[in-house]
Amino acid sequence: MVPFAGWSLPLHYEQGHLQSHLHTRRRCSLFDVSHMLQTRVYGRDRIKFMESLVVGDIAELKPGQGTLTLLTNEMGGIVDDLIVTNTSEDHLYVVSNAGCADKDLAIMKGRATELQAAGSDIHLEVSDNALLALQGPSMAQVLQAGLSDDLAKLSFMNSITTSVFSVPGCRVTRCGYTGEDGVEISVPAGWAVELAEQLLGVPEVWPAGLAARDSLRLEAGLCLYGNDIDETTTPAEAGLMWTLGKRRRVAMDFPGAAIIMAQVKEKPKRKLGMAPSYAHGKGRDWAAKPHSPPHVSTSPGTVTSGCPSPSLGKNIAMGYVETAHSRAGTTLTVEVRKKQHPALVTKMPFVPTQYYMAK
């Protein structure tokens, strides 16, 4: 168990990190992600409220559809990355990072108060639900046994409210942080242990902790807030411009819009690149150390995430390099424990993603 954003979370279970990671890629694992902040936004002006904070086109979301979006500041920096779902009920459902929970909530409450004073209809409610993530290629087979709804009709980034193994009032969202087909289940706190025990009662399902969660997301090319993105990085630098809706780019009505769109036009000075090392080794010695400098000829950069890839059998890392050196195929060197290792900028993800789209 390790401390994380004020919570005590499992780093790994008895199977260990390597086997847990590979089991998630081949079968199915259960992650307890109840540390994430879950918020509901009510009121007729809820879309206007959310679009005043984030870069995404929330108005275009269909009932039950969600999107990854970015909460930005006036300098174009990323305050948090979060998922916003336009539920089929009367509210928006927002999931934020645990490490950003306090500042996110303060920002949302502050903006809500401003809009309410101007006559807008906005109401925020923090959910005390637990959040369980079931991830892996056999997820659908495992979960379908406990659902009356047809999972084959639920596409990536869409959600339904239903009973799961007779536990009522669950929101099932087809998403996750592993690159595999998966769901996140928002479950009333009083039922969380019972549901987790039922899922773990299936031999196919193993419990997984933070170590596997981190290596799985890095193989899938997914950013970790606080490492790969923060308030000093912009969507253009982080390769996240796809989160900006076309209408929002034109309107430029989100925080930091002028700075972000200027970077798009002029190209940012640095970009987030993917760099797997050629070097092979064992354990921690071949993991790129976060925030160590990769040397790109005369142009330094910064490694933001790095670890051995259980799926690929080699070191992988994510980091920022100057735009001139960010093209896939560029050779660079990464410093690990004061030793230089050759690396290559590649396109993400390292391991192909398996997100499910209904036919």
Side-chain angles (χ1 to χ4, degrees), residues 323-341:
T323 301
H325 303 280
S326 64
R327 185 181 296 275
T330 301
T331 301
L332 45 76
T333 59
V334 180
E335 182 180 308
V336 183
R337 299 190 175 213
K338 298 182 179 180
K339 294 181 180 180
Q340 305 298 311
H341 297 274

Side-chain angles (χ1 to χ4, degrees), residues 66-139:
T67 185
L68 176 72
T69 189
L70 306 173
L71 184 67
T72 51
N73 59 29
E74 294 301 332
M75 296 303 294
I78 301 172
V79 177
D80 195 10
D81 60 320
L82 37 81
I83 293 178
V84 178
T85 299
N86 179 24
T87 72
S88 298
E89 294 83 31
D90 59 348
H91 65 276
L92 299 176
Y93 169 60
V94 183
V95 179
S96 313
N97 284 304
C100 301
D102 291 343
K103 68 176 181 180
D104 285 9
L105 200 54
I107 289 171
M108 287 193 287
K109 285 182 175 179
R111 184 59 53 87
T113 299
E114 290 175 9
L115 293 177
Q116 287 165 351
S120 293
D121 180 25
I122 302 289
H123 172 63
L124 300 180
E125 182 180 291
V126 176
S127 171
D128 63 355
N129 278 13
L131 194 62
L132 302 176
L134 190 63
Q135 302 282 304
S138 61
M139 176 281 298

Side-chain angles (χ1 to χ4, degrees), residues 189-251:
W191 292 90
V193 172
E194 178 177 327
L195 179 56
E197 288 179 340
Q198 288 201 62
L199 291 169
L200 291 170
V202 180
E204 189 87 355
V205 182
W206 287 8
L210 282 178
R213 185 168 163 84
D214 190 50
S215 55
L216 287 161
R217 70 90 191 169
L218 185 53
E219 286 185 348
L222 301 173
C223 293
L224 173 63
Y225 194 87
N227 277 45
D228 311 305
I229 52 175
D230 57 30
E231 294 191 36
T232 69
T233 58
T234 69
E237 293 172 330
L240 292 171
M241 286 302 295
W242 60 269
T243 62
L244 274 71
K246 183 177 179 181
R247 175 178 61 85
R248 304 302 307 281
R249 294 185 188 216
V250 174

